[in-house]
């Protein structure tokens, strides 16, 4: 039972355009959401997070949007750069549990 | 500050054998979590340790076990290896059990033949 789903295994975006990565979740108890970025042969690195009391969080070129009623979050990258090519993992957790549930990842490729 | 280190980086074992993986967290971090990454499955939570105690466990068989030492270093053991155990095993550390942001090591690539 996948509680965090990333339905697009891959995404290709032109450099300079907006990249939108989507994530759906099923557990309404989740109250904290995170995005991680992973390059080959490296561990995932934390990118940005959002608490369930917010619907938007911005950090430079990265913005995460949360739609609690739809149990959906998205990561926007504007403008997309070649170095953004990586696998992006969506993750969720809830305060009474210490484990973080990850999605299956979306491979983002930025083309020139 | 040194990051999370994992040893070994690569490992090849045969079915039925057992394996031990090691993780050294960032200095000062007391919580260590382990994840298994396989193609198409994303990162699946194995277990989390804090102050030498297992706080949480994922849905993996009892062949997967772990422990944490007083210096916060952690080991993960898999006994009676199966082909399906071939995966990248990632360790992540955080300041304490309530920290959401985790810092990952590079992983140990285990191949079971």
């Amino acid at each position: 039972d996948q509680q965090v789903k990333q339905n697009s295994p891959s995404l290709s975006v032109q450099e300079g355009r907006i990249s939108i990565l989507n994530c759906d979740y099923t557990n309404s108890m989740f109250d904290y959401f995170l995005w991680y970025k992973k390059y080959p042969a490296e561990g995932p690195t934390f990118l940005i997070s959002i608490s369930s009391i917010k619907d938007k969080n911005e950090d430079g070129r990265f913005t995460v949007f949360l739609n609690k009623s739809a149990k959906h979050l998205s990561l926007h990258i504007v403008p997309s750069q070649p170095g953004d090519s990586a696998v992006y993992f969506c993750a969720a957790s809830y305060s009474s549990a210490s484990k973080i549930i990850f999605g299956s990842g979306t491979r983002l490729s930025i083309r020139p | 500050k040194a990051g999370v280190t994992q040893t070994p980086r690569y490992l090849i074992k045969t079915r039925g054998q057992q394996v031990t993986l090691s993780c050294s967290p960032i200095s000062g971090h007391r919580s260590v979590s382990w994840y298994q990454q396989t193609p198409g499955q994303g990162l699946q939570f194995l277990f989390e340790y804090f102050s030498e105690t297992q706080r949480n466990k994922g849905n993996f068989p009892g062949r997967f076990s772990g422990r944490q030492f007083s210096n916060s270093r952690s080991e993960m053991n898999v006994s009676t290896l199966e082909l399906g155990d071939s995966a990248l095993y990632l360790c992540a550390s955080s300041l304490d059990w309530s920290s959401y942001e985790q810092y990952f090591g590079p992983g140990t690539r285990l191949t079971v033949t």
Side-chain angles (χ1 to χ4, degrees):
Chain A
D1 175 33
Q2 273 196 304
Q3 298 185 63
V4 179
K5 300 176 187 177
Q6 292 179 258
N7 293 317
S8 298
S10 63
L11 177 67
S12 179
V13 174
Q14 191 166 24
E15 183 179 353
R17 299 290 188 107
I18 182 171
S19 294
I20 300 176
L21 295 99
N22 294 303
C23 177
D24 297 297
Y25 61 95
T26 58
N27 190 336
S28 56
M29 291 182 66
F30 287 143
D31 58 10
Y32 201 79
F33 304 87
L34 310 95
W35 284 93
Y36 284 82
K37 175 179 175 179
K38 185 181 185 302
Y39 292 118
E42 295 181 15
T45 54
F46 170 74
L47 198 54
I48 192 169
S49 62
I50 187 167
S51 163
S52 61
I53 62 172
K54 292 185 165 184
D55 53 20
K56 178 182 173 182
N57 189 25
E58 206 169 343
D59 183 3
R61 296 186 298 114
F62 303 91
T63 303
V64 56
F65 294 92
L66 175 63
N67 182 334
K68 288 186 289 294
S69 60
K71 294 194 179 69
H72 177 84
L73 65 155
S74 60
L75 174 68
H76 292 210
I77 307 173
V78 184
S80 300
Q81 299 175 353
D84 296 331
S85 293
V87 176
Y88 289 79
F89 289 98
C90 168
S93 184
Y94 51 97
S95 49
S96 60
S98 57
K99 64 180 180 181
I100 297 176
I101 310 297
F102 285 81
S104 56
T106 295
R107 183 179 300 277
L108 175 65
S109 301
I110 305 301
R111 59 182 191 273
Chain B
K1 196 183 257 191
V4 178
T5 57
Q6 291 186 246
T7 56
R9 292 292 311 276
Y10 302 92
L11 206 48
I12 300 175
K13 291 283 189 178
T14 55
R15 276 180 298 177
Q17 287 187 312
Q18 68 96 28
V19 67
T20 299
L21 312 181
S22 180
C23 171
S24 292
I26 290 171
S27 177
H29 284 196
R30 296 168 63 196
S31 176
V32 173
S33 299
W34 288 89
Y35 296 85
Q36 181 195 65
Q37 185 190 3
T38 53
Q41 290 293 316
L43 290 159
Q44 296 188 77
F45 174 79
L46 279 154
F47 26 66
E48 184 205 5
Y49 287 88
F50 177 75
S51 290
E52 302 177 66
T53 301
Q54 187 180 88
R55 289 203 72 250
N56 219 324
K57 191 176 191 308
N59 297 324
F60 278 82
R63 300 185 297 106
F64 291 81
S65 63
R67 59 177 175 167
Q68 186 181 35
F69 301 95
S70 58
N71 61 358
S72 294
R73 191 177 70 84
S74 177
E75 285 182 350
M76 189 193 111
N77 185 277
V78 188
S79 61
T80 320
L81 284 166
E82 299 177 359
L83 293 178
D85 297 334
S86 294
L88 179 68
Y89 290 89
L90 289 157
C91 161
S93 78
S94 54
L95 273 172
D96 59 50
W97 64 269
S98 63
S99 299
Y100 288 109
E101 284 98 16
Q102 297 180 322
Y103 297 83
F104 284 81
T108 294
R109 170 74 62 187
L110 172 65
T111 302
V112 182
T113 62

